[in-house]
Amino acid sequence: MTAISFEFFPPKTDDQRKQLHTAAHKLKGLTPEYASVTFGAGGSTLSYTGETVRQLRDRHGFSVAPHLSCMGGTRAEIAELLDGYRQHGCRRIVALRGDLPSGMASPGDFRYASELVRFIREHSGDHFHIEVAAYPETHPQANDALADLRHFKHKVDAGADGAITQYFFNADAYFRFVEDVRRLGVTIPIVPGIMPIANFTQLRRFSEACGAEIPRWLTKRMQAHGDDAQAIRELGAEAVAQLCRRLIEGGAPGLHFYTLNLARPTLAVLDRLAL
Ligand code: FAD
């Protein structure tokens, strides 16, 4: 059986809060292994992650994994967050470097996610199951793809238990990544991150920023559908479901859905998979 998990982001307005709860309500019936909550680096959104973690646990009964980015944070601040999540019953953390928000001068006490993973192990022992990020199409800031693979291994050597990938639409990039890091001695599960297609224009913008390649055929087909929202939704769901089928057949240990706090695009994919 393929384990599934969902990612949500912390809402900031009342409308967004309503949207999160509607999505969580519809998705919890699929009995995901856990739900993760993203982390907005530096400043105000820090507090929203903790609040969203509590809401998803208390109102919807999810087992929740907060994302924790070390960019801009001090050891003391990160230790406090870890202690808070432990008190709130969290057993899983997604440990990230994050990106320095514009205008923030200091990167904080940690430079890379591997240093954060090591710190979590020092501070919290084996309490947390630690997930880290993986990039089958190479991290967008890496100018050496092979060095990027070795940097991924550093996170595993520092104590990561599992990895979730950046989203991608090319299954071969995932299989190649897994093969390459297995050759380096990495044995942890590497779960593909899946981006259901809700809004193609937005997806193209996101993909440019995070270095995910959208296949030319998919872009062309989407463009050919023009304003036909129904046709675009169906093509998106079918293309992503086909990707998931290939990943499962090829041995992917689970699927982690980037829900963007919407149930429908994720459900459209999962309905087609009938897991
Ligand atoms: P790292 O693993 O530290 O890698 C970052 C870069 O540094 C890579 O190019 C790597 O090759 C390089 N590097 C690593 N170690 C070294 C070294 N020793 N020497 C030289 N170079 C090195 N961002 C958020 O702000 N909030 C979130 O909640 C969030 N969630 C995410 C969830 C997932 C599953 C994924 C895939 C990404 C997420 N991101 C999030 C985005 C992530 O923060 C960015 O991609 C960030 O740029 C890198 O974070 P990382 O943890 O992968 O960094």
Side-chain angles (χ1 to χ4, degrees), residues 150-185:
R150 290 193 295 274
H151 296 148
F152 173 73
K153 185 173 185 293
H154 292 165
K155 297 194 274 195
V156 180
D157 294 343
D161 299 293
I164 305 168
T165 75
Q166 182 56 275
Y167 70 86
F168 55 86
F169 295 99
N170 175 359
D172 289 331
Y174 169 81
F175 292 126
R176 180 74 209 206
F177 176 85
V178 173
E179 211 177 294
D180 286 346
V181 298
R182 295 285 181 248
R183 231 178 271 132
L184 293 177

Side-chain angles (χ1 to χ4, degrees), residues 38-39 67 96-99 112-113 133 135 139 148 151 155 258:
T38 60
F39 182 97
H67 292 207
L96 303 146
R97 183 196 71 174
D99 294 302
Y112 299 111
Y135 301 85
H139 184 263
D148 198 40
H151 296 148
K155 297 194 274 195
Y258 296 112

Side-chain angles (χ1 to χ4, degrees), residues 105-233:
S106 162
D109 285 350
F110 302 97
R111 277 169 313 162
Y112 299 111
S114 53
E115 297 172 6
L116 174 63
V117 172
R118 196 165 296 115
F119 178 72
I120 298 174
R121 283 287 172 244
E122 275 166 26
H123 184 78
S124 307
D126 285 337
H127 179 79
F128 294 109
H129 176 106
I130 303 176
E131 301 283 354
V132 289
Y135 301 85
E137 294 181 310
T138 305
H139 184 263
Q141 289 154 14
N143 44 25
D144 178 336
L146 297 179
D148 198 40
L149 294 174
R150 290 193 295 274
H151 296 148
F152 173 73
K153 185 173 185 293
H154 292 165
K155 297 194 274 195
V156 180
D157 294 343
D161 299 293
I164 305 168
T165 75
Q166 182 56 275
Y167 70 86
F168 55 86
F169 295 99
N170 175 359
D172 289 331
Y174 169 81
F175 292 126
R176 180 74 209 206
F177 176 85
V178 173
E179 211 177 294
D180 286 346
V181 298
R182 295 285 181 248
R183 231 178 271 132
L184 293 177
V186 169
T187 57
I188 60 168
I190 298 167
V191 173
I194 304 296
M195 180 64 90
I197 300 175
N199 173 330
F200 195 67
T201 310
Q202 188 191 47
L203 177 72
R204 289 184 78 184
R205 217 177 38 241
F206 272 7
S207 302
E208 241 160 65
C210 70
E213 190 174 61
I214 304 179
R216 183 180 158 83
W217 72 265
L218 186 55
T219 302
K220 291 284 179 193
R221 289 287 182 86
M222 286 290 185
Q223 285 168 341
H225 285 311
D227 292 335
D228 186 345
Q230 176 67 13
I232 288 174
R233 272 201 298 273

